[in-house]
Amino acid sequence: MKTIPSAETFIINKLNETQPNENKPPTPKQVEEWMIEFAKMHVNEALKQTYIKAESILTTYPLDGIV
């Protein structure tokens, strides 16, 4: 499973990427965009894990045993 950063780490990384060495807060629009990106990361990972689990569930009972 891919390691997704915590919300705090994600925001700190975004601040370092977009505003290095600046001592001003991000704009509300930037925060909104970052939170959407963060949510998408979690949803994508959840969907991937669900797919992996569903694929293994489908193979847990062998159909050739039904006669």
Side-chain angles (χ1 to χ4, degrees), residues 5-27:
S6 66
E8 179 182 12
T9 301
F10 182 82
I11 290 294
I12 290 169
N13 290 342
K14 282 294 183 183
L15 284 170
N16 289 335
E17 286 175 22
T18 61
Q19 300 174 348
N21 304 318
E22 291 184 32
N23 194 17
K24 66 177 186 175
T27 66

Side-chain angles (χ1 to χ4, degrees), residues 22-36:
E22 291 184 32
N23 194 17
K24 66 177 186 175
T27 66
K29 185 66 178 170
Q30 282 177 307
V31 173
E32 176 187 13
E33 291 169 356
W34 296 348
M35 292 295 87
I36 291 169

Side-chain angles (χ1 to χ4, degrees), residues 39-54:
K40 285 180 179 180
M41 288 171 51
H42 276 274
V43 170
N44 278 330
E45 187 60 28
L47 290 172
K48 286 178 192 173
Q49 292 303 314
T50 302
Y51 173 77
I52 290 167
K53 301 283 191 268

